[in-house]
């Protein structure tokens, strides 16, 4: 605690209070008035809500109470010493240069750093680094103070090296557009990580060829997916279908009883009420369209799962904003409802969950192809019978024994992650997006192979998030799905989902073939080991 004093105090002299003449009785009166009228107004407003009386219609007693509340509030914040921060006009005197700041133990004031005397943009780089290290300039404020995002990253990087005592050599800082991530993708950047991008293809999907970008550091992954693309292509291509498109958000609300939670559940299930709430939700965005609301009761708590289409955006922010608006309306209809959280985990985002596996989230797709028997032998180096049996034992039975949740596949997550990183998707949503069941069957008198992947919760978008960054935007452009579709909103993100599923199909086909043919270990030993780090 610091006390402002014009004259230095002699040793042992007690500190005098700043406002000796201020009456404690006055403080007590204003405290009492503030809480009394606040309670009165809250009680009156609650009655108005119950009787559907407009809140802005005030009686004389309510008007007087409002003025008293305002006056006591202003008095109290000035008493607590924060009025000068919130309302500068409360300051009757500006601090002069000869003001001394004495701590309670009368120790001398700490020396001022150069950043307190000179604007940040006038300091040398070394001075800025030291100011960040000392804490006089918060690291998070460098961009706003310097108005130069690249320089902010360089200064912060140097400060981190000093504070940690560890070198960041090898982490590049130059050559990146830091303006593009400000307030959107990453806070307090100190550089960027390089991930190589390879391409697999052409992937012949729905009669169109795609060259699929994949950002990965795993050897064999791109090569294996490329082999799967070749097998699909020479067999006539794959077909993919978008089954459902609905992003979800599920807030949790609480009541005083299970009966009231049930009342709201039944209210939401009424088609007329849904239509009125859909109007409120859809006003949030030109692209947000509410599809369904499902309530799940747990005691006196209600979890409300909203599902909506979001155009070409992945849509988490869009649906959250719409849900917030609907909750505001519901609070007027159910004033005893307490909103505990905008997300109650029944959504379910970034977690493996049965609700996403069963009901879907984001894009739900299915992709299939028939691979000719001779292609299985010549390109994939195995047989139809071996692939069918391996899929049953590995992807189905083995996954069931493991208690897998949506993991009835060989390595769908590998391909999903690589395409997500290349195209600016949220990599954490790889968790639910990789839910996939791979089914392999013999067809055409067991001469050919039918393979399919069903993915119920692919969460992708072509606008928002990291999709606008230069590298990721280039990869989206390579696929022909950059930005929003002007002709048909949502078409680009839907097409991206089918490409991801098609790439997963190719990856599953190739890896399963490698395992069936006993090639997996040899190929990884050849292509996925760094000779510079192998000692034996």
């Amino acid at each position: 605690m610091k006390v402002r004093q014009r004259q230095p105090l002699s040793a042992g002299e007690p500190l005098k209070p700043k406002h000796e003449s201020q009456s404690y009785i006055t403080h007590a009166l204003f405290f009492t008035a503030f809480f009394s009228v606040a309670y009165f107004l809250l009680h009156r407003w609650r009655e108005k809500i119950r009787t559907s009386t407009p809140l802005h219609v005030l009686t004389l007693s309510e008007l007087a109470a409002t003025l008293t509340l305002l006056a006591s509030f202003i008095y109290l914040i000035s008493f607590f010493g924060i009025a000068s921060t919130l309302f500068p006009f409360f300051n009757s005197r500006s601090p002069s240069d000869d003001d001394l700041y004495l701590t309670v133990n009368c120790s001398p004031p700490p020396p001022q750093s150069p950043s307190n005397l000179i604007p940040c943009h006038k300091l040398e780089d070394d001075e800025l680094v030291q100011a960040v290290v000392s804490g006089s300039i918060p690291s998070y404020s460098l961009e706003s103070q310097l108005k130069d995002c690249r320089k902010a990253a360089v200064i912060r990087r140097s400060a981190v090296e000093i504070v940690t005592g560890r070198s960041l050599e090898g982490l590049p800082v130059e050559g990146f557009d830091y303006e593009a991530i400000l307030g959107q993708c990453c806070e307090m950047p100190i550089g960027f990580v390089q991930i190589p991008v390879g391409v697999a293809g052409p992937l012949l999907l729905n009669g169109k060829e795609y060259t699929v970008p994949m950002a990965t550091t795993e050897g064999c992954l791109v090569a294996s997916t490329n082999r799967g693309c070749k097998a699909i292509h020479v067999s006539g291509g794959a077909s993919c279908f978008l089954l459902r498109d609905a992003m979800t958000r599920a807030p949790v609300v609480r009541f005083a009883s299970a009966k009231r939670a049930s009342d709201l559940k039944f209210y939401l299930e009424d088609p007329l009420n849904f239509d009125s709430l859909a109007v409120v939700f859809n006003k949030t965005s030109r692209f947000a369209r509410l599809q369904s609301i499902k309530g799940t009761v747990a005691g006196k708590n209600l979890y409300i799962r909203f599902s909506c289409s979001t155009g070409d955006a992945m849509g988490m922010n869009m649906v959250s904003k719409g849900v917030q608006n609907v909750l505001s309306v519901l609070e007027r209809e159910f004033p005893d409802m307490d909103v505990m959280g905008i997300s109650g985990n029944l959504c379910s985002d970034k977690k493996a969950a049965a609700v996403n596996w069963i009901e879907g989230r984001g894009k739900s797709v299915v992709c299939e192809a028939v691979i000719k028997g001779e292609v299985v032998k010549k390109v994939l180096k195995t047989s139809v019978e071996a692939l069918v049996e391996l899929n049953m034992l590995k992807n189905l039975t083995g996954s069931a024994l493991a208690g897998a949740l949506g993991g009835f596949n060989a390595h769908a997550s590998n391909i999903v992650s690589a395409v997500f990183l290349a195209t600016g998707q949220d990599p954490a949503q790889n968790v639910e997006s990789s839910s996939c069941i791979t089914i392999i069957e013999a067809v055409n008198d067991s001469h050919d192979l039918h393979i399919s992947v069903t993915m119920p919760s692919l969460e992708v978008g072509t606008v928002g998030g990291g999709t606008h960054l230069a590298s990721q935007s280039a990869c989206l452009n390579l696929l022909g799905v950059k930005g929003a579709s002007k002709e048909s909103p949502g078409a680009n993100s839907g097409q991206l989902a089918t490409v991801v599923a098609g790439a997963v199909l190719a990856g599953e086909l190739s890896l399963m073939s490698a395992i069936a043919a006993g090639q997996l270990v040899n190929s990884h030993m050849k292509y996925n080991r760094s000779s510079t780090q192998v000692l034996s």
Side-chain angles (χ1 to χ4, degrees), residues 212-233:
V212 184
M214 302 174 67
T216 182
T217 56
E218 180 183 351
C220 291
L221 179 59
V222 178
S224 177
T225 307
N226 188 67
R227 182 175 75 149
C229 290
K230 179 181 179 181
I232 293 171
H233 198 292

mmCIF file with all atom_site columns, all heavy atoms in Angstrom, residues 212-233:
data_model
loop_
_atom_site.group_PDB
_atom_site.id
_atom_site.type_symbol
_atom_site.label_atom_id
_atom_site.label_alt_id
_atom_site.label_comp_id
_atom_site.label_asym_id
_atom_site.label_entity_id
_atom_site.label_seq_id
_atom_site.pdbx_PDB_ins_code
_atom_site.Cartn_x
_atom_site.Cartn_y
_atom_site.Cartn_z
_atom_site.occupancy
_atom_site.B_iso_or_equiv
_atom_site.pdbx_formal_charge
_atom_site.auth_seq_id
_atom_site.auth_comp_id
_atom_site.auth_asym_id
_atom_site.auth_atom_id
_atom_site.pdbx_PDB_model_num
ATOM 1   N N   . VAL A 1 212 ? -4.144  -33.300 -52.790 1.00 0.00 ? 212 VAL A N   1
ATOM 2   C CA  . VAL A 1 212 ? -4.418  -33.084 -51.362 1.00 0.00 ? 212 VAL A CA  1
ATOM 3   C C   . VAL A 1 212 ? -3.162  -32.654 -50.620 1.00 0.00 ? 212 VAL A C   1
ATOM 4   O O   . VAL A 1 212 ? -2.173  -33.409 -50.563 1.00 0.00 ? 212 VAL A O   1
ATOM 5   C CB  . VAL A 1 212 ? -4.977  -34.368 -50.728 1.00 0.00 ? 212 VAL A CB  1
ATOM 6   C CG1 . VAL A 1 212 ? -5.352  -34.119 -49.266 1.00 0.00 ? 212 VAL A CG1 1
ATOM 7   C CG2 . VAL A 1 212 ? -6.184  -34.881 -51.507 1.00 0.00 ? 212 VAL A CG2 1
ATOM 8   N N   . PRO A 1 213 ? -3.138  -31.436 -50.027 1.00 0.00 ? 213 PRO A N   1
ATOM 9   C CA  . PRO A 1 213 ? -1.981  -30.997 -49.227 1.00 0.00 ? 213 PRO A CA  1
ATOM 10  C C   . PRO A 1 213 ? -2.028  -31.623 -47.839 1.00 0.00 ? 213 PRO A C   1
ATOM 11  O O   . PRO A 1 213 ? -3.080  -31.701 -47.204 1.00 0.00 ? 213 PRO A O   1
ATOM 12  C CB  . PRO A 1 213 ? -2.170  -29.477 -49.162 1.00 0.00 ? 213 PRO A CB  1
ATOM 13  C CG  . PRO A 1 213 ? -3.653  -29.280 -49.253 1.00 0.00 ? 213 PRO A CG  1
ATOM 14  C CD  . PRO A 1 213 ? -4.177  -30.394 -50.119 1.00 0.00 ? 213 PRO A CD  1
ATOM 15  N N   . MET A 1 214 ? -0.871  -32.083 -47.360 1.00 0.00 ? 214 MET A N   1
ATOM 16  C CA  . MET A 1 214 ? -0.785  -32.712 -46.040 1.00 0.00 ? 214 MET A CA  1
ATOM 17  C C   . MET A 1 214 ? 0.439   -32.176 -45.305 1.00 0.00 ? 214 MET A C   1
ATOM 18  O O   . MET A 1 214 ? 1.571   -32.316 -45.790 1.00 0.00 ? 214 MET A O   1
ATOM 19  C CB  . MET A 1 214 ? -0.700  -34.234 -46.176 1.00 0.00 ? 214 MET A CB  1
ATOM 20  C CG  . MET A 1 214 ? -1.873  -34.857 -46.910 1.00 0.00 ? 214 MET A CG  1
ATOM 21  S SD  . MET A 1 214 ? -1.674  -36.629 -47.208 1.00 0.00 ? 214 MET A SD  1
ATOM 22  C CE  . MET A 1 214 ? -1.747  -37.249 -45.519 1.00 0.00 ? 214 MET A CE  1
ATOM 23  N N   . ALA A 1 215 ? 0.230   -31.539 -44.161 1.00 0.00 ? 215 ALA A N   1
ATOM 24  C CA  . ALA A 1 215 ? 1.324   -31.017 -43.336 1.00 0.00 ? 215 ALA A CA  1
ATOM 25  C C   . ALA A 1 215 ? 1.631   -32.035 -42.249 1.00 0.00 ? 215 ALA A C   1
ATOM 26  O O   . ALA A 1 215 ? 0.793   -32.313 -41.397 1.00 0.00 ? 215 ALA A O   1
ATOM 27  C CB  . ALA A 1 215 ? 0.928   -29.681 -42.723 1.00 0.00 ? 215 ALA A CB  1
ATOM 28  N N   . THR A 1 216 ? 2.829   -32.596 -42.291 1.00 0.00 ? 216 THR A N   1
ATOM 29  C CA  . THR A 1 216 ? 3.169   -33.658 -41.338 1.00 0.00 ? 216 THR A CA  1
ATOM 30  C C   . THR A 1 216 ? 4.671   -33.767 -41.178 1.00 0.00 ? 216 THR A C   1
ATOM 31  O O   . THR A 1 216 ? 5.434   -33.323 -42.034 1.00 0.00 ? 216 THR A O   1
ATOM 32  C CB  . THR A 1 216 ? 2.603   -35.010 -41.802 1.00 0.00 ? 216 THR A CB  1
ATOM 33  O OG1 . THR A 1 216 ? 2.902   -36.010 -40.842 1.00 0.00 ? 216 THR A OG1 1
ATOM 34  C CG2 . THR A 1 216 ? 3.185   -35.412 -43.152 1.00 0.00 ? 216 THR A CG2 1
ATOM 35  N N   . THR A 1 217 ? 5.089   -34.362 -40.065 1.00 0.00 ? 217 THR A N   1
ATOM 36  C CA  . THR A 1 217 ? 6.507   -34.681 -39.865 1.00 0.00 ? 217 THR A CA  1
ATOM 37  C C   . THR A 1 217 ? 6.698   -36.195 -39.785 1.00 0.00 ? 217 THR A C   1
ATOM 38  O O   . THR A 1 217 ? 7.766   -36.664 -39.396 1.00 0.00 ? 217 THR A O   1
ATOM 39  C CB  . THR A 1 217 ? 7.014   -34.038 -38.549 1.00 0.00 ? 217 THR A CB  1
ATOM 40  O OG1 . THR A 1 217 ? 6.190   -34.467 -37.464 1.00 0.00 ? 217 THR A OG1 1
ATOM 41  C CG2 . THR A 1 217 ? 6.995   -32.522 -38.638 1.00 0.00 ? 217 THR A CG2 1
ATOM 42  N N   . GLU A 1 218 ? 5.679   -36.959 -40.137 1.00 0.00 ? 218 GLU A N   1
ATOM 43  C CA  . GLU A 1 218 ? 5.775   -38.421 -40.112 1.00 0.00 ? 218 GLU A CA  1
ATOM 44  C C   . GLU A 1 218 ? 6.129   -38.954 -41.496 1.00 0.00 ? 218 GLU A C   1
ATOM 45  O O   . GLU A 1 218 ? 5.388   -38.755 -42.466 1.00 0.00 ? 218 GLU A O   1
ATOM 46  C CB  . GLU A 1 218 ? 4.463   -39.058 -39.647 1.00 0.00 ? 218 GLU A CB  1
ATOM 47  C CG  . GLU A 1 218 ? 4.531   -40.583 -39.618 1.00 0.00 ? 218 GLU A CG  1
ATOM 48  C CD  . GLU A 1 218 ? 3.219   -41.228 -39.219 1.00 0.00 ? 218 GLU A CD  1
ATOM 49  O OE1 . GLU A 1 218 ? 2.302   -40.499 -38.792 1.00 0.00 ? 218 GLU A OE1 1
ATOM 50  O OE2 . GLU A 1 218 ? 3.110   -42.469 -39.339 1.00 0.00 ? 218 GLU A OE2 1
ATOM 51  N N   . GLY A 1 219 ? 7.246   -39.628 -41.573 1.00 0.00 ? 219 GLY A N   1
ATOM 52  C CA  . GLY A 1 219 ? 7.631   -40.245 -42.828 1.00 0.00 ? 219 GLY A CA  1
ATOM 53  C C   . GLY A 1 219 ? 6.655   -41.328 -43.228 1.00 0.00 ? 219 GLY A C   1
ATOM 54  O O   . GLY A 1 219 ? 6.025   -41.956 -42.377 1.00 0.00 ? 219 GLY A O   1
ATOM 55  N N   . CYS A 1 220 ? 6.501   -41.557 -44.518 1.00 0.00 ? 220 CYS A N   1
ATOM 56  C CA  . CYS A 1 220 ? 5.633   -42.582 -45.116 1.00 0.00 ? 220 CYS A CA  1
ATOM 57  C C   . CYS A 1 220 ? 4.178   -42.157 -45.203 1.00 0.00 ? 220 CYS A C   1
ATOM 58  O O   . CYS A 1 220 ? 3.422   -42.743 -45.985 1.00 0.00 ? 220 CYS A O   1
ATOM 59  C CB  . CYS A 1 220 ? 5.687   -43.908 -44.358 1.00 0.00 ? 220 CYS A CB  1
ATOM 60  S SG  . CYS A 1 220 ? 7.245   -44.767 -44.507 1.00 0.00 ? 220 CYS A SG  1
ATOM 61  N N   . LEU A 1 221 ? 3.735   -41.182 -44.408 1.00 0.00 ? 221 LEU A N   1
ATOM 62  C CA  . LEU A 1 221 ? 2.309   -40.859 -44.381 1.00 0.00 ? 221 LEU A CA  1
ATOM 63  C C   . LEU A 1 221 ? 1.830   -40.342 -45.735 1.00 0.00 ? 221 LEU A C   1
ATOM 64  O O   . LEU A 1 221 ? 0.825   -40.822 -46.273 1.00 0.00 ? 221 LEU A O   1
ATOM 65  C CB  . LEU A 1 221 ? 2.016   -39.822 -43.290 1.00 0.00 ? 221 LEU A CB  1
ATOM 66  C CG  . LEU A 1 221 ? 0.547   -39.401 -43.183 1.00 0.00 ? 221 LEU A CG  1
ATOM 67  C CD1 . LEU A 1 221 ? -0.351  -40.592 -42.893 1.00 0.00 ? 221 LEU A CD1 1
ATOM 68  C CD2 . LEU A 1 221 ? 0.378   -38.317 -42.115 1.00 0.00 ? 221 LEU A CD2 1
ATOM 69  N N   . VAL A 1 222 ? 2.534   -39.353 -46.290 1.00 0.00 ? 222 VAL A N   1
ATOM 70  C CA  . VAL A 1 222 ? 2.117   -38.806 -47.581 1.00 0.00 ? 222 VAL A CA  1
ATOM 71  C C   . VAL A 1 222 ? 2.285   -39.853 -48.678 1.00 0.00 ? 222 VAL A C   1
ATOM 72  O O   . VAL A 1 222 ? 1.406   -40.022 -49.538 1.00 0.00 ? 222 VAL A O   1
ATOM 73  C CB  . VAL A 1 222 ? 2.911   -37.532 -47.916 1.00 0.00 ? 222 VAL A CB  1
ATOM 74  C CG1 . VAL A 1 222 ? 2.516   -36.999 -49.288 1.00 0.00 ? 222 VAL A CG1 1
ATOM 75  C CG2 . VAL A 1 222 ? 2.678   -36.450 -46.850 1.00 0.00 ? 222 VAL A CG2 1
ATOM 76  N N   . ALA A 1 223 ? 3.391   -40.579 -48.627 1.00 0.00 ? 223 ALA A N   1
ATOM 77  C CA  . ALA A 1 223 ? 3.648   -41.601 -49.647 1.00 0.00 ? 223 ALA A CA  1
ATOM 78  C C   . ALA A 1 223 ? 2.583   -42.691 -49.604 1.00 0.00 ? 223 ALA A C   1
ATOM 79  O O   . ALA A 1 223 ? 2.090   -43.164 -50.639 1.00 0.00 ? 223 ALA A O   1
ATOM 80  C CB  . ALA A 1 223 ? 5.032   -42.209 -49.443 1.00 0.00 ? 223 ALA A CB  1
ATOM 81  N N   . SER A 1 224 ? 2.199   -43.103 -48.405 1.00 0.00 ? 224 SER A N   1
ATOM 82  C CA  . SER A 1 224 ? 1.191   -44.152 -48.276 1.00 0.00 ? 224 SER A CA  1
ATOM 83  C C   . SER A 1 224 ? -0.172  -43.664 -48.768 1.00 0.00 ? 224 SER A C   1
ATOM 84  O O   . SER A 1 224 ? -0.869  -44.384 -49.497 1.00 0.00 ? 224 SER A O   1
ATOM 85  C CB  . SER A 1 224 ? 1.091   -44.586 -46.811 1.00 0.00 ? 224 SER A CB  1
ATOM 86  O OG  . SER A 1 224 ? 0.075   -45.550 -46.641 1.00 0.00 ? 224 SER A OG  1
ATOM 87  N N   . THR A 1 225 ? -0.542  -42.440 -48.376 1.00 0.00 ? 225 THR A N   1
ATOM 88  C CA  . THR A 1 225 ? -1.819  -41.887 -48.837 1.00 0.00 ? 225 THR A CA  1
ATOM 89  C C   . THR A 1 225 ? -1.814  -41.728 -50.351 1.00 0.00 ? 225 THR A C   1
ATOM 90  O O   . THR A 1 225 ? -2.837  -41.959 -51.021 1.00 0.00 ? 225 THR A O   1
ATOM 91  C CB  . THR A 1 225 ? -2.092  -40.530 -48.165 1.00 0.00 ? 225 THR A CB  1
ATOM 92  O OG1 . THR A 1 225 ? -1.983  -40.671 -46.739 1.00 0.00 ? 225 THR A OG1 1
ATOM 93  C CG2 . THR A 1 225 ? -3.471  -40.000 -48.514 1.00 0.00 ? 225 THR A CG2 1
ATOM 94  N N   . ASN A 1 226 ? -0.665  -41.370 -50.900 1.00 0.00 ? 226 ASN A N   1
ATOM 95  C CA  . ASN A 1 226 ? -0.543  -41.213 -52.348 1.00 0.00 ? 226 ASN A CA  1
ATOM 96  C C   . ASN A 1 226 ? -0.758  -42.546 -53.054 1.00 0.00 ? 226 ASN A C   1
ATOM 97  O O   . ASN A 1 226 ? -1.409  -42.616 -54.107 1.00 0.00 ? 226 ASN A O   1
ATOM 98  C CB  . ASN A 1 226 ? 0.839   -40.657 -52.688 1.00 0.00 ? 226 ASN A CB  1
ATOM 99  C CG  . ASN A 1 226 ? 0.965   -40.280 -54.141 1.00 0.00 ? 226 ASN A CG  1
ATOM 100 O OD1 . ASN A 1 226 ? 0.318   -39.340 -54.608 1.00 0.00 ? 226 ASN A OD1 1
ATOM 101 N ND2 . ASN A 1 226 ? 1.804   -41.005 -54.876 1.00 0.00 ? 226 ASN A ND2 1
ATOM 102 N N   . ARG A 1 227 ? -0.238  -43.621 -52.460 1.00 0.00 ? 227 ARG A N   1
ATOM 103 C CA  . ARG A 1 227 ? -0.447  -44.952 -53.049 1.00 0.00 ? 227 ARG A CA  1
ATOM 104 C C   . ARG A 1 227 ? -1.932  -45.323 -53.017 1.00 0.00 ? 227 ARG A C   1
ATOM 105 O O   . ARG A 1 227 ? -2.466  -45.878 -53.980 1.00 0.00 ? 227 ARG A O   1
ATOM 106 C CB  . ARG A 1 227 ? 0.370   -46.004 -52.304 1.00 0.00 ? 227 ARG A CB  1
ATOM 107 C CG  . ARG A 1 227 ? 0.223   -47.398 -52.903 1.00 0.00 ? 227 ARG A CG  1
ATOM 108 C CD  . ARG A 1 227 ? 1.121   -48.408 -52.251 1.00 0.00 ? 227 ARG A CD  1
ATOM 109 N NE  . ARG A 1 227 ? 0.667   -48.827 -50.928 1.00 0.00 ? 227 ARG A NE  1
ATOM 110 C CZ  . ARG A 1 227 ? 0.877   -50.032 -50.416 1.00 0.00 ? 227 ARG A CZ  1
ATOM 111 N NH1 . ARG A 1 227 ? 1.532   -50.953 -51.127 1.00 0.00 ? 227 ARG A NH1 1
ATOM 112 N NH2 . ARG A 1 227 ? 0.462   -50.332 -49.203 1.00 0.00 ? 227 ARG A NH2 1
ATOM 113 N N   . GLY A 1 228 ? -2.603  -44.989 -51.924 1.00 0.00 ? 228 GLY A N   1
ATOM 114 C CA  . GLY A 1 228 ? -4.038  -45.254 -51.849 1.00 0.00 ? 228 GLY A CA  1
ATOM 115 C C   . GLY A 1 228 ? -4.810  -44.474 -52.895 1.00 0.00 ? 228 GLY A C   1
ATOM 116 O O   . GLY A 1 228 ? -5.766  -44.982 -53.502 1.00 0.00 ? 228 GLY A O   1
ATOM 117 N N   . CYS A 1 229 ? -4.397  -43.205 -53.115 1.00 0.00 ? 229 CYS A N   1
ATOM 118 C CA  . CYS A 1 229 ? -5.038  -42.380 -54.150 1.00 0.00 ? 229 CYS A CA  1
ATOM 119 C C   . CYS A 1 229 ? -4.880  -43.018 -55.534 1.00 0.00 ? 229 CYS A C   1
ATOM 120 O O   . CYS A 1 229 ? -5.813  -43.012 -56.348 1.00 0.00 ? 229 CYS A O   1
ATOM 121 C CB  . CYS A 1 229 ? -4.443  -40.980 -54.154 1.00 0.00 ? 229 CYS A CB  1
ATOM 122 S SG  . CYS A 1 229 ? -4.875  -39.966 -52.718 1.00 0.00 ? 229 CYS A SG  1
ATOM 123 N N   . LYS A 1 230 ? -3.693  -43.584 -55.782 1.00 0.00 ? 230 LYS A N   1
ATOM 124 C CA  . LYS A 1 230 ? -3.441  -44.230 -57.077 1.00 0.00 ? 230 LYS A CA  1
ATOM 125 C C   . LYS A 1 230 ? -4.350  -45.442 -57.262 1.00 0.00 ? 230 LYS A C   1
ATOM 126 O O   . LYS A 1 230 ? -4.948  -45.627 -58.341 1.00 0.00 ? 230 LYS A O   1
ATOM 127 C CB  . LYS A 1 230 ? -1.972  -44.649 -57.172 1.00 0.00 ? 230 LYS A CB  1
ATOM 128 C CG  . LYS A 1 230 ? -1.636  -45.359 -58.476 1.00 0.00 ? 230 LYS A CG  1
ATOM 129 C CD  . LYS A 1 230 ? -0.171  -45.778 -58.517 1.00 0.00 ? 230 LYS A CD  1
ATOM 130 C CE  . LYS A 1 230 ? 0.140   -46.517 -59.816 1.00 0.00 ? 230 LYS A CE  1
ATOM 131 N NZ  . LYS A 1 230 ? 1.571   -46.959 -59.877 1.00 0.00 ? 230 LYS A NZ  1
ATOM 132 N N   . ALA A 1 231 ? -4.471  -46.258 -56.223 1.00 0.00 ? 231 ALA A N   1
ATOM 133 C CA  . ALA A 1 231 ? -5.319  -47.448 -56.313 1.00 0.00 ? 231 ALA A CA  1
ATOM 134 C C   . ALA A 1 231 ? -6.772  -47.068 -56.559 1.00 0.00 ? 231 ALA A C   1
ATOM 135 O O   . ALA A 1 231 ? -7.481  -47.722 -57.338 1.00 0.00 ? 231 ALA A O   1
ATOM 136 C CB  . ALA A 1 231 ? -5.191  -48.273 -55.032 1.00 0.00 ? 231 ALA A CB  1
ATOM 137 N N   . ILE A 1 232 ? -7.218  -45.990 -55.909 1.00 0.00 ? 232 ILE A N   1
ATOM 138 C CA  . ILE A 1 232 ? -8.597  -45.521 -56.102 1.00 0.00 ? 232 ILE A CA  1
ATOM 139 C C   . ILE A 1 232 ? -8.783  -44.983 -57.522 1.00 0.00 ? 232 ILE A C   1
ATOM 140 O O   . ILE A 1 232 ? -9.789  -45.251 -58.193 1.00 0.00 ? 232 ILE A O   1
ATOM 141 C CB  . ILE A 1 232 ? -8.941  -44.441 -55.055 1.00 0.00 ? 232 ILE A CB  1
ATOM 142 C CG1 . ILE A 1 232 ? -8.991  -45.046 -53.653 1.00 0.00 ? 232 ILE A CG1 1
ATOM 143 C CG2 . ILE A 1 232 ? -10.260 -43.751 -55.381 1.00 0.00 ? 232 ILE A CG2 1
ATOM 144 C CD1 . ILE A 1 232 ? -9.114  -44.030 -52.539 1.00 0.00 ? 232 ILE A CD1 1
ATOM 145 N N   . HIS A 1 233 ? -7.798  -44.224 -57.994 1.00 0.00 ? 233 HIS A N   1
ATOM 146 C CA  . HIS A 1 233 ? -7.897  -43.580 -59.299 1.00 0.00 ? 233 HIS A CA  1
ATOM 147 C C   . HIS A 1 233 ? -7.997  -44.612 -60.421 1.00 0.00 ? 233 HIS A C   1
ATOM 148 O O   . HIS A 1 233 ? -8.879  -44.521 -61.302 1.00 0.00 ? 233 HIS A O   1
ATOM 149 C CB  . HIS A 1 233 ? -6.693  -42.666 -59.515 1.00 0.00 ? 233 HIS A CB  1
ATOM 150 C CG  . HIS A 1 233 ? -6.893  -41.651 -60.603 1.00 0.00 ? 233 HIS A CG  1
ATOM 151 N ND1 . HIS A 1 233 ? -6.999  -41.996 -61.939 1.00 0.00 ? 233 HIS A ND1 1
ATOM 152 C CD2 . HIS A 1 233 ? -7.015  -40.288 -60.562 1.00 0.00 ? 233 HIS A CD2 1
ATOM 153 C CE1 . HIS A 1 233 ? -7.166  -40.902 -62.666 1.00 0.00 ? 233 HIS A CE1 1
ATOM 154 N NE2 . HIS A 1 233 ? -7.186  -39.847 -61.852 1.00 0.00 ? 233 HIS A NE2 1
#
